[in-house]
Amino acid sequence: MLKFDYQFLDQLPADPVEENFTRQVSEACYSLVSPRPLINPSLISVSKPLAKSLGLCEQDWQSDWFLNIASGSALQSDMRPYALCYGGHQFGHWAGQLGDGRAINLGDLPDINQQFQTLQLKGAGPTPYSRSADGLAVLRSSVREYLCSEAMHHLGVATTRALSLCLTGEQVMRDMFYDGNAALEKGAVVCRVAPSFIRFGNFQIHASRQETTLLKQLADYVIKRNFPDLGEPSAEVYEQWFETICDSTMAMIIDWMRVGFVHGVMNTDNMSILGQTIDYGPYGWLEGYDPNWTPNTTDAQGKRYSFGNQPQIAQWNLYQLANALLPIIGRVERLEAALENFADAYQQQAQKMYANKLGLQHHSGEKDEQLIDQLFLMLQLSETDMTIFFRCLAKMETEKNYTDQQLFELVEPAYYAPQQLTDDHMNSIYKWLSDYQRRISGQSWSDAKRSAKMNQTNPKYVLRNYLAQQAIDSADKGDYSEIERLMSLLERPYDEQPEYEDYAKKRPEWARTKAGCSMLSCSS
Ligand code: AMP
Ligand code: MG
């Protein structure tokens, strides 16, 4: 029997209506709602490291009670599940009330470090916030969320986690590409875990409705629960809190840029107040380095959420959060300063991160900035796999006399079409690689040390889009072994794992245009 904590429910106002139908919910932070009972749910996979950190053992996660809770099929009688009310800006436009349309929070559990973690089911049935949708999730998108949450955690990127993946035993109708070809797909539920699932949009909805007392109550709750070091809430504490959110959001984006992750739908309702990556939908991993790339077909035109735009969008989203918090702060100066500082601070942090990727002992100003700028121009001359490129670069020897050809051979595994490189391209690549060699020969680190440092920053294994798709295709046929293989492989993304060498290779050609491997829609 798990003992859930419900301070969130006890301290904040509930929607007085308890029936489950779609509606606008004002003057409340959440609605009580139960997941749907299921006739034949089954467990596909459990994240063992996460389960253990919640104090669960194998016997627990193999039990019926675990399946019942993780699928939402039957909860303990003392549980009080609920859906959150939030709003958000979608693709730059205020969208009004959104809310947990297919997420149901089960309550908070203390982990083995006595930190409260909220458990949340995604795809466990409709809620008052489901609008015209069904509250369900399909296996395809649930596998993607499950694998990527855990992969990001092991990469050291702040993220919500995924405890389990269950089949509901029911089928769900989806029009994957919004082209009129709807089909039945297997339904699934992911049990997500985070210290809080509160988003920027939770504050925005109350601000937009001029519910200032409620806005303050929610802010005070979140500060006391998740930011206790900030002390008793006051205007000054709110300002510090906002600065902390700017910092953690920036740290998250820096990590996305480091590992080549593109979120795909950075709407303000998909921004966690803890600066954790949340809501894995049409996300994707950069293969060829391209700042304009977005995996989200819904965003193919505007490319608002492309890889290179992510820092700027984070800042735009923080502006919206600042606007939402203004009524309880009552003055703009520090908020404005934090926002204005964001771009400069990002540049500084990003330079540090790129210096780490390159194995530079110190970032020594303008010259290194140029080296980094030149590098990213070079990576765009022809399709170049970012992940592979940095692992190759770590192998460069400072003292060796390379010919041009040998220099190129070092990084050649990262090129998708080396035969397309013109002489001019080749010359810029040789030049950059020799500049880089000169730069690293001037520092005191040994090659072994530099390469070890680089390999702790540059992952060898990421959840390449086609790898997730292969796991989905097998899972759809009832074979979950690929999910388990990926879960285990991605637990150590920075380590060489010779038995998994194939998983670190370039995307195969067949995956270039295959649905799910190169393009995704929001329909999940
Ligand atoms: P997303 O773009 O996935 O972050 O979702 C935006 C909003 O749509 C959120 O309020 C979600 O809860 C809601 N939503 C997305 N898919 C569904 C679904 N199948 N059923 C109900 N609500 C959904
Ligand atoms: Mg969302």
Side-chain angles (χ1 to χ4, degrees), residues 86 90 98-99 101-102 130-131 133-136 174 269-270 279:
Y86 59 81
Q90 297 186 313
L98 297 166
R102 55 165 165 175
S130 295
R131 295 176 289 155
D134 55 13
L136 305 176
R174 281 292 179 274
D269 54 303
N270 290 339
D279 280 12

Side-chain angles (χ1 to χ4, degrees), residues 257-309:
M257 305 308 282
R258 171 174 64 85
V259 300
F261 176 80
V262 191
H263 183 283
V265 211
M266 287 179 71
N267 293 331
T268 57
D269 54 303
N270 290 339
M271 298 293 289
S272 142
I273 205 70
L274 302 182
Q276 295 190 324
T277 315
I278 191 171
D279 280 12
Y280 291 87
Y283 70 82
W285 289 84
L286 264 198
E287 283 150 347
Y289 178 81
D290 175 4
N292 291 318
W293 184 69
T294 170
N296 185 355
T297 49
T298 320
D299 192 26
Q301 290 281 305
K303 295 196 186 292
R304 180 179 171 88
Y305 297 141
S306 62
F307 180 64
N309 268 1

Side-chain angles (χ1 to χ4, degrees), residues 71-271:
S71 65
S73 187
L75 303 186
Q76 295 169 184
S77 58
D78 62 343
M79 288 171 71
R80 297 153 67 193
Y82 59 97
L84 295 171
C85 179
Y86 59 81
H89 280 86
Q90 297 186 313
F91 294 91
H93 304 284
W94 175 244
Q97 178 181 302
L98 297 166
D100 284 334
R102 55 165 165 175
I104 297 180
N105 302 276
L106 297 179
D108 293 0
L109 280 182
D111 64 17
I112 52 176
N113 300 316
Q114 298 310 311
Q115 293 279 332
F116 278 118
Q117 302 288 344
T118 305
L119 268 58
Q120 182 186 78
L121 303 182
K122 185 165 174 180
T127 75
Y129 307 96
S130 295
R131 295 176 289 155
S132 58
D134 55 13
L136 305 176
V138 294
L139 180 59
R140 148 174 71 88
S141 62
S142 306
V143 168
R144 283 170 50 81
E145 171 135 22
Y146 178 70
L147 290 174
C148 201
S149 312
E150 292 304 281
M152 291 283 269
H153 169 74
H154 295 296
L155 281 164
V157 185
T159 178
T160 62
R161 305 282 306 268
L163 175 62
S164 58
L165 171 64
C166 292
L167 278 177
T168 60
E170 296 180 354
Q171 300 225 302
V172 178
M173 187 66 92
R174 281 292 179 274
D175 184 354
M176 198 188 336
F177 290 108
Y178 304 118
D179 61 0
N181 291 314
L184 285 173
E185 297 187 45
K186 290 182 184 173
V189 173
V190 171
C191 180
R192 312 199 286 191
V193 178
S196 170
F197 283 97
I198 302 285
R199 302 138 190 272
F200 291 8
N202 288 79
F203 300 96
Q204 287 185 283
I205 192 71
H206 300 312
S208 78
R209 290 170 169 165
Q210 278 111 45
E211 297 168 344
T212 311
T213 311
L214 199 47
L215 181 66
K216 182 173 174 341
Q217 267 179 291
L218 180 63
D220 292 357
Y221 176 86
V222 170
I223 289 173
K224 286 187 182 153
R225 183 81 162 185
N226 302 107
F227 300 82
D229 294 348
L230 293 177
E232 251 335 275
S234 65
E236 202 182 345
V237 165
Y238 297 139
E239 288 166 332
Q240 276 174 24
W241 176 46
F242 181 72
E243 288 162 357
T244 310
I245 300 165
C246 290
D247 291 347
S248 58
T249 302
M250 186 183 305
M252 170 187 79
I253 302 285
I254 293 271
D255 277 334
W256 291 0
M257 305 308 282
R258 171 174 64 85
V259 300
F261 176 80
V262 191
H263 183 283
V265 211
M266 287 179 71
N267 293 331
T268 57
D269 54 303
N270 290 339
M271 298 293 289

